[in-house]
Amino acid sequence: MYFHKDFECMPKADITKLQNEKLVKQVKYVYDNVECYRKRMDEARIKPEDIKGIEDLKKLPFSYKSDLRDYYPYGLFAKPLSEIVELHASSGTTGKRIVVGYTKNDLEMWADCTARMLTAIGATKDDIVQVAYGYGLFTGGFGLHYGAEKLGLTVIPISAGNTERQIETMIDFKATILACTPSYALYLAETAEKMGVVDKLSLKAGIFGAEPWTEEMRQQIEEKLHIKAYDIYGLTEIVGPGVAYECSEQSGMHLNEDHFLLEIIDPETLEPIEGDVKMGELVFTTLDREGAPLIRYRTRDLGFAKVGTCKCGRTFVRLSKPMGRSDDMLIIRGVNVFPSQIEEVLLKNPEGITANYQIVVDRVNNNDTLDIFVEMDPDLFADDMASIERLQKQLVDKLRSVLGIGAKVTLVNPNSLARSEGKAKRVIDKRKLI
Ligand code: ADP
Ligand code: ZN
């Protein structure tokens, strides 16, 4: 099932042609309407006419999150506020928040993107979607809402939080699709288990994104809630959810290439990374955003893209799960560590532990320390101290072989770590707090 078959299954050559045409227009539009871009292009001695298609993209300057901060709130908008009909802001995971504006056409395009996403997981107007992403300035709630509405689904706009009430609502209203962050999905699953009502749920699928999560986490959510769990990717700067989405194959997230142009670059050399399955920084150019267009926006997200037609028939490239932002990378005793690597080790060895964990990095006597707190299973909790210590030691060994450095693992009591209703805060880096 497709929402826009003509686009989603467009032959590669036609997508490229469309991208070339849209890029030329968007660059001219941005040059004419956004002072910051005009200045930068003038400085680089690039005129809009020099950009004839994707092959010229390299000539254009990059844009950064810091630009959105420097020109906060409206300095990068390409339309007067009289044409901006909605504002959204990032949740501010990595510093001062940024704001983006949508025109009526932008909202249409966004709704199309999330409608495609819902269609790709098999949603129809007979489905009932519980939108447990936050509504508000965060893009999650409204983004999902607009697409579901466009597709004619029944929407439960419950927003995040009030967890037991969420479960009751899901049961009473017979929700078939759940949309929230993966960490909240796990919390909901845990709560449903505790309430003893998992078998009363009518859920068949979940669409989860807005934060990094591993395949192991997917497996746990799928098993606990008896659903298929789909990954979605998006960021406020570009549009919000709906930038890329998984189909029923669950093998990479199709990028809406008719709206967003992807480059993958080496974040050090800034050179493009060619070929399949090569990790790099995702850089996006919006091809038809009116309110807040972005050219060569460096996301800091690290991932790769698979090209070629998917088994589902879609031709859009498929993004890997982003392993996190380059800013999320921890440098511990000189070694690069991604929180997602730690999650993978923990969740691959689920015996005796749950998926609730917290990473604490500190510096003691000029030496970096890495502490990992993991909640025990209630069964293990009831066990003797020796088996708890044995398990801690096993996890330390496994982490060392993957990360290449030593970590201290402490198994803590069930339900002792904070739960998240939105994006999980897994890492506390005390070195940054000093
Ligand atoms: P904030 O920057 O405040 O977190 P956003 O809500 O716009 O604001 O977050 C977008 C970011 O969330 C992305 O740049 C990416 O790092 C992360 N993200 C979104 N979806 C996913 C996903 N499916 N997997 C991993 N990371 C994701
Ligand atoms: Zn597919």
Side-chain angles (χ1 to χ4, degrees):
M1 264 200 313
Y2 312 102
F3 186 69
H4 284 143
K5 182 159 193 259
D6 290 353
F7 291 104
E8 293 172 77
C9 303
M10 201 179 235
K12 188 75 198 150
D14 294 352
I15 296 177
T16 308
K17 188 164 168 277
L18 183 69
Q19 289 181 327
N20 284 334
E21 289 164 10
K22 284 193 175 186
L23 178 68
V24 170
K25 266 203 195 151
Q26 178 98 117
V27 169
K28 177 158 181 7
Y29 172 72
V30 163
Y31 185 86
D32 291 343
N33 293 288
V34 186
E35 195 193 323
C36 158
Y37 280 111
R38 187 164 52 246
K39 270 201 199 141
R40 276 200 197 155
M41 283 174 63
D42 286 346
E43 272 161 27
R45 298 181 192 288
I46 312 280
K47 289 271 166 244
E49 307 78 73
D50 299 332
I51 307 301
K52 301 198 170 62
I54 303 174
E55 67 287 357
D56 296 321
L57 196 59
K58 294 192 289 295
K59 297 178 184 163
L60 292 165
F62 288 108
S63 53
Y64 306 87
K65 192 155 210 159
S66 57
D67 295 333
L68 289 139
R69 291 187 177 133
D70 294 346
Y71 289 86
Y72 178 89
Y74 302 141
L76 291 183
F77 287 12
K79 285 278 187 203
L81 279 176
S82 54
E83 290 195 47
I84 301 290
V85 295
E86 194 162 310
L87 296 173
H88 280 280
S90 81
S91 37
T93 313
T94 52
K96 185 173 175 338
R97 72 177 178 181
I98 50 107
V99 61
V100 296
Y102 301 70
T103 62
K104 274 219 157 81
N105 287 335
D106 289 334
L107 287 187
E108 275 302 310
M109 182 269 279
W110 190 18
D112 282 344
C113 288
T114 50
R116 285 179 186 178
M117 171 170 104
L118 283 157
T119 317
I121 66 151
T124 69
K125 61 189 190 46
D126 296 326
D127 279 300
I128 302 171
V129 59
Q130 178 143 335
V131 182
Y133 277 114
Y135 278 69
L137 284 176
F138 174 56
T139 50
F142 281 101
L144 256 297
H145 190 108
Y146 294 146
E149 197 176 42
K150 191 160 223 180
L151 211 56
L153 270 71
T154 308
V155 186
I156 310 174
I158 192 163
S159 199
N162 212 340
T163 307
E164 288 196 5
R165 190 68 183 278
Q166 292 268 357
I167 309 281
E168 286 160 13
T169 310
M170 245 182 267
I171 295 171
D172 293 350
F173 297 176
K174 301 191 170 40
T176 55
I177 297 172
L178 170 66
C180 59
T181 58
S183 53
Y184 194 41
L186 203 64
Y187 181 22
L188 285 164
E190 206 179 56
T191 310
E193 272 172 1
K194 232 184 267 162
M195 292 162 73
V197 295
V198 175
D199 57 347
K200 293 206 172 73
L201 296 170
S202 311
L203 291 178
K204 61 176 192 193
I207 23 188
F208 307 126
E211 63 182 1
W213 54 309
T214 55
E215 281 302 329
E216 288 70 25
M217 177 97 149
R218 186 205 308 261
Q219 215 176 324
Q220 288 213 6
I221 296 174
E222 290 192 333
E223 279 166 15
K224 283 180 191 288
L225 286 174
H226 311 302
I227 58 170
K228 285 259 260 177
Y230 296 95
D231 197 3
I232 59 168
Y233 169 81
L235 59 166
T236 312
E237 298 91 309
I238 302 302
V239 73
V243 173
Y245 49 91
E246 276 186 338
C247 62
S248 52
E249 297 300 318
Q250 292 180 311
S251 80
M253 295 179 274
H254 289 289
L255 170 74
N256 278 315
E257 285 190 278
D258 52 337
H259 297 302
F260 314 113
L261 182 59
L262 170 72
E263 293 170 86
I264 299 187
I265 63 163
D266 179 324
E268 301 288 324
T269 64
L270 308 183
E271 286 302 315
I273 293 186
E274 306 291 352
D276 221 11
V277 192
K278 244 187 146 190
M279 190 64 81
E281 181 179 336
L282 309 179
V283 174
F284 290 108
T285 297
T286 59
L287 290 172
D288 39 24
R289 278 283 255 133
E290 294 180 340
L294 283 174
I295 305 286
R296 303 196 83 197
Y297 181 70
R298 290 190 55 185
T299 62
R300 305 266 168 206
D301 285 330
L302 299 174
F304 59 87
K306 288 188 247 177
V307 288
T309 307
C310 176
K311 281 196 193 128
C312 74
R314 286 178 183 79
T315 47
F316 287 162
V317 294
R318 276 165 288 160
L319 286 187
S320 67
K321 262 181 179 312
M323 66 186 287
R325 297 180 172 119
S326 45
D327 334 18
D328 293 339
M329 189 179 78
L330 298 161
I331 302 179
I332 302 172
R333 283 170 242 135
V335 177
N336 298 348
V337 174
F338 275 95
S340 55
Q341 292 176 295
I342 297 175
E343 176 173 305
E344 199 175 317
V345 173
L346 296 178
L347 272 60
K348 255 192 189 139
N349 299 281
E351 203 70 28
I353 59 170
T354 69
N356 295 303
Y357 67 95
Q358 179 110 65
I359 300 167
V360 180
V361 185
D362 203 352
R363 184 163 288 150
V364 180
N365 299 329
N366 291 323
N367 206 355
D368 293 333
T369 56
L370 171 60
D371 272 277
I372 302 168
F373 298 92
V374 194
E375 274 184 18
M376 284 180 260
D377 241 20
D379 289 346
L380 180 73
F381 183 52
D383 254 347
D384 58 301
M385 209 44 213
S387 35
I388 294 176
E389 277 168 9
R390 201 174 322 119
L391 184 56
Q392 284 180 169
K393 187 174 176 317
Q394 277 170 12
L395 290 171
V396 168
D397 291 344
K398 287 194 172 126
L399 283 162
R400 188 193 304 279
S401 72
V402 171
L403 307 178
I405 55 166
K408 185 172 171 224
V409 175
T410 310
L411 296 178
V412 297
N413 295 352
N415 291 315
S416 57
L417 298 178
R419 300 292 189 267
S420 117
E421 294 173 350
K423 295 186 187 229
K425 285 206 175 44
R426 305 272 196 209
V427 182
I428 301 173
D429 192 343
K430 294 190 174 165
R431 299 172 302 182
K432 285 188 186 155
L433 303 176
I434 300 166

